[in-house]
Amino acid sequence: MKKAILTAAFATVTAVLVLAATANASSAGGGATARSKLTMMAPAAPGGGWDAFAREGQQALRANGIVNNARVINVPGAGGTIGLGQVAQMPGREDLLLATGAAMMGGIELSTADVSFDDVTLIARVADDYNVLVVPKDSPYETIDDFTAAWAADPGGHAIAGGSLGSIDHLLSGLLGREIGIDPRDVNYVAYAGGGEVLTSLLSNTASAGISSYNDFRDQIEAGSVRALGTSAAEPVDGIDVPTFIESGYNVEMSNWRGYAAPPGISHEARQELVDIVTEMHATSEWDDSMTRNRWSDSYSIDGDFEEFIATESERVRSIIEELGL
């Protein structure tokens, strides 16, 4: 399964795509300070969740003059671990923030690259995004109980579409399957490159259900093209009119948390400056607007709280991946 995530061919293609961006990012750090020129790396292609997260932060920083110049670069691939690996190789670089989050944890566990959160400097957890389980509008399943009853009776006959192997979509399919008595290894999970392909598989009835970020499905949910049966939030979220799995009696929750890390080997003062920048961004009205627009929940934490969360959640993800047999 690991080879499915990061084959030699994929690594070669990705290296070509990101060479200019990463070389530029590395060279741009000479003498720069975070307040004068900040680079924000989104470890995914433009248009994805990490890209949106980084660009929302960029706009809040610019609008409030928190830094003189903030730019976003994209370094996609392998569940975010290509970007993580690049940042790990920039020791002492003090003007760069790497957007990170839950999906990177799965990428770390499945990647053939020997890189982890231990190789970078943790800065802050900022927001939580949530996933939803949806079915096509013409599906016979009106409620999550309808779906899980049929799924438990015939796991192989119900394809679950979602993002890459090891993504939060995949992990949630295993957690929900286990909750209703399905061996996670028996979940018929079909991995796609992104939410758009997941939606296509649903609308073409290739999959019985799909799991992805609420924002990936929001327009189709509101238009009635798909029906949302449950969300992965631990508690109801403003703007998401979908019951949580817990509210429906399923002890399953997982946030697609998002935050920032920095290169290793930076000074204490430089790390504190980056923490201060993110803290100031988090306090702006522009960031509040982005939280509301994207239906994100505030989960701001730094220092020991963030480090403890990373340790606990990494172990949880590792355990789930083992159960999934990846």
Side-chain angles (χ1 to χ4, degrees):
M1 287 293 185
K2 290 184 177 181
K3 291 182 179 179
I5 299 298
L6 186 61
T7 64
F10 178 73
T12 300
V13 172
T14 303
V16 172
L17 291 173
V18 306
L19 179 60
T22 55
N24 190 31
S26 296
S27 63
T33 66
R35 292 285 182 180
S36 65
K37 187 175 183 180
L38 179 68
T39 296
M40 307 174 79
M41 180 187 291
W50 272 323
D51 182 66
F53 174 71
R55 292 184 191 278
E56 293 280 16
Q58 177 193 38
Q59 292 305 311
L61 292 171
R62 284 178 171 176
N64 293 274
I66 295 171
V67 299
N68 291 335
N69 183 22
R71 64 170 184 153
V72 174
I73 62 170
N74 297 87
V75 181
T81 58
I82 290 180
L84 178 66
Q86 293 288 344
V87 172
Q89 295 174 38
M90 299 178 187
R93 173 81 185 269
E94 298 181 344
D95 64 332
L96 184 143
L97 286 172
L98 169 71
T100 185
M104 192 173 284
M105 288 181 162
I108 287 169
E109 293 302 318
L110 295 176
S111 175
T112 56
D114 186 17
V115 64
S116 74
F117 286 114
D118 292 336
D119 300 307
V120 293
T121 302
L122 298 176
I123 299 298
R125 176 185 176 190
V126 182
D128 283 2
D129 191 6
Y130 298 102
N131 283 32
V132 289
L133 173 73
V134 302
V135 295
K137 66 177 181 180
D138 57 355
S139 169
Y141 311 123
E142 296 288 339
T143 68
I144 190 169
D145 288 339
D146 293 339
F147 175 74
T148 55
W151 187 24
D154 183 16
H158 290 76
I160 312 297
S164 61
L165 298 176
S167 65
I168 184 174
D169 312 348
H170 192 187
L171 301 185
L172 278 170
S173 74
L175 288 173
L176 189 57
R178 183 181 66 184
E179 179 72 5
I180 64 173
I182 298 173
D183 186 327
R185 292 176 174 80
D186 293 334
V187 172
N188 182 9
Y189 184 81
V190 183
Y192 291 95
E197 292 184 15
V198 173
L199 180 63
T200 298
S201 73
L202 283 170
L203 299 182
S204 64
N205 291 310
T206 302
S208 299
I211 299 177
S212 193
S213 165
Y214 176 81
N215 287 322
D216 287 340
F217 290 135
R218 180 172 60 187
D219 291 346
Q220 287 70 34
I221 292 171
E222 293 175 356
S225 301
V226 298
R227 184 161 51 251
L229 303 183
T231 179
S232 67
E235 298 177 349
V237 177
D238 289 344
I240 300 181
D241 188 21
V242 181
T244 68
F245 295 135
I246 291 175
E247 286 180 307
S248 297
Y250 302 88
N251 188 26
V252 173
E253 59 85 17
M254 179 174 277
S255 72
N256 191 5
W257 66 271
R258 303 188 188 280
Y260 290 107
I266 62 176
S267 67
H268 172 77
E269 292 76 15
R271 178 188 175 279
Q272 188 59 52
E273 187 79 289
L274 291 170
V275 170
D276 290 345
I277 286 170
V278 174
T279 301
E280 291 168 31
M281 178 207 75
H282 173 261
T284 66
S285 60
E286 286 79 8
W287 184 252
D288 280 344
D289 290 344
S290 71
M291 294 276 288
T292 300
R293 236 183 8 260
N294 291 288
R295 274 70 166 183
W296 293 337
S297 292
D298 189 9
S299 59
Y300 176 79
S301 63
I302 58 174
D303 300 330
D305 288 341
F306 186 31
E307 293 169 4
E308 182 178 352
F309 170 78
I310 289 291
T312 301
E313 195 69 359
S314 292
E315 182 58 38
R316 182 189 183 200
V317 167
R318 187 176 301 116
S319 175
I320 296 169
I321 285 177
E322 288 177 358
E323 287 192 52
L324 291 171
L326 297 178

